Amino acid sequence: MANLIPSSDYSNDFDANWFVGAYYSEVDGCQEVGQFLPFILTALHDIFKSGNVRGNTLLDIGTGPTIHSVISACPYVQKIILSDYSQVNIDALQQWKDNKVQTGSALCKFILDLEGGKFHQTVHERFAEIRNKVSAILPVDLTKCSSIHLGNDYPDIIVSSLCFEVACKDVHEYNKVVQYVGSLMAHGCHLVVVGVLEETFYRVGKFSFHCLKITESEVKTAYTTNGFEIKTWKEYIPPPRTAEEAEFSDFQKAFVMHAVKV
């Protein structure tokens, strides 16, 4: 990691195009993180395919510049609210919603194949459905636990992918974020979280960005002690990395969790 420059400047140093191209352009495109993306997409599909996780409004916290986290959920909700800390990512999401950029097609096709034609949709049709259902793209700063202004749109489902551990400096702050997310939800509502364990950084171009090094026990405790019941927990362990591959990330496990507010 000697060649990477540490940064926390998401306005100037976070290259959304590099990020999408490196990590989310192809399902198997980033060998540096192994089968991480197929694992995430399959796990999200598995959570939503039963139809039991559904509702009117879905809120995605920390969407980033890619909509991979809502592709499987889209048929089961009427409204989607996206959000991110970085204006760069908000702009990228708005461009995607306005059909000015075409990203994520390979990911969407992978999910549609998993669905086996259940909804009889093409990639173009699923993307059109998502665009139509996105009602807002909001700024969010999870370090300020009052930053998401939803009006009367209380979410039935909250999804967050690779966000909480990036936003937090320590486990105490992670717990505060979980408490805040819980405060946005009524009893019985669903929370779906994609996260990484024991990661300290991830790469974006020539920069490395901080990630909270948190354990499985600490993550699960944060949810079970703050009003959530964990329904499913799936893990992915990456293969051994070469020195070059290790410059992209040092996560030891990835997880996808489905929990319910109790």
Side-chain angles (χ1 to χ4, degrees), residues 105-141:
S105 295
L107 282 59
C108 188
K109 184 180 184 306
F110 179 82
I111 290 171
L112 293 180
D113 288 345
L114 289 177
E115 292 174 354
K118 180 179 180 179
F119 298 102
H120 307 287
Q121 285 183 314
T122 63
V123 169
H124 176 78
E125 289 167 339
R126 177 61 59 88
F127 278 173
E129 183 182 6
I130 295 172
R131 288 183 171 106
N132 288 335
K133 289 182 176 179
V134 171
S135 62
I137 304 172
L138 303 177
V140 59
D141 183 349

Side-chain angles (χ1 to χ4, degrees), residues 169-223:
K169 295 179 181 178
D170 54 40
V171 176
H172 174 71
E173 203 166 78
Y174 190 97
N175 273 270
K176 287 180 63 179
V177 165
V178 174
Q179 290 174 6
Y180 172 60
V181 170
S183 74
L184 301 174
M185 307 173 72
H187 296 297
C189 291
H190 300 274
L191 175 66
V192 178
V193 177
V194 178
V196 285
L197 302 174
E198 300 185 59
E199 177 180 280
T200 64
F201 81 97
Y202 68 100
R203 177 181 176 180
V204 180
K206 64 181 180 180
F207 298 99
S208 64
F209 284 84
H210 157 84
C211 183
L212 172 63
K213 187 176 182 180
I214 192 167
T215 67
E216 178 179 338
S217 174
E218 289 169 332
V219 169
K220 287 182 175 179
T221 298
Y223 291 99

Side-chain angles (χ1 to χ4, degrees), residues 50-72:
S50 70
N52 295 325
V53 182
R54 61 168 62 242
N56 184 61
T57 301
L58 179 147
L59 168 65
D60 187 333
I61 298 178
T63 310
T66 166
I67 49 82
H68 71 279
S69 49
V70 300
I71 298 172
S72 288

Side-chain angles (χ1 to χ4, degrees), residues 17-149:
N17 290 329
W18 188 98
F19 181 82
V20 172
Y23 296 114
Y24 292 99
S25 60
E26 299 292 336
V27 175
D28 294 308
C30 188
Q31 65 181 21
E32 291 82 4
V33 293
Q35 293 296 299
F36 177 63
L37 188 53
F39 162 73
I40 289 175
L41 297 177
T42 302
L44 291 172
H45 162 74
D46 289 344
I47 288 170
F48 288 99
K49 69 179 181 181
S50 70
N52 295 325
V53 182
R54 61 168 62 242
N56 184 61
T57 301
L58 179 147
L59 168 65
D60 187 333
I61 298 178
T63 310
T66 166
I67 49 82
H68 71 279
S69 49
V70 300
I71 298 172
S72 288
C74 177
Y76 302 99
V77 298
Q78 301 305 312
K79 183 184 296 185
I80 297 172
I81 300 171
L82 308 178
S83 68
D84 202 81
Y85 171 79
S86 166
Q87 187 61 46
V88 171
N89 288 339
I90 291 173
D91 291 344
L93 291 171
Q94 188 63 55
Q95 286 186 319
W96 186 89
K97 176 175 166 53
D98 293 341
N99 212 9
K100 294 180 179 178
V101 294
Q102 303 297 326
T103 58
S105 295
L107 282 59
C108 188
K109 184 180 184 306
F110 179 82
I111 290 171
L112 293 180
D113 288 345
L114 289 177
E115 292 174 354
K118 180 179 180 179
F119 298 102
H120 307 287
Q121 285 183 314
T122 63
V123 169
H124 176 78
E125 289 167 339
R126 177 61 59 88
F127 278 173
E129 183 182 6
I130 295 172
R131 288 183 171 106
N132 288 335
K133 289 182 176 179
V134 171
S135 62
I137 304 172
L138 303 177
V140 59
D141 183 349
L142 287 176
T143 64
K144 301 174 181 177
C145 292
S146 60
S147 62
I148 304 178
H149 302 292

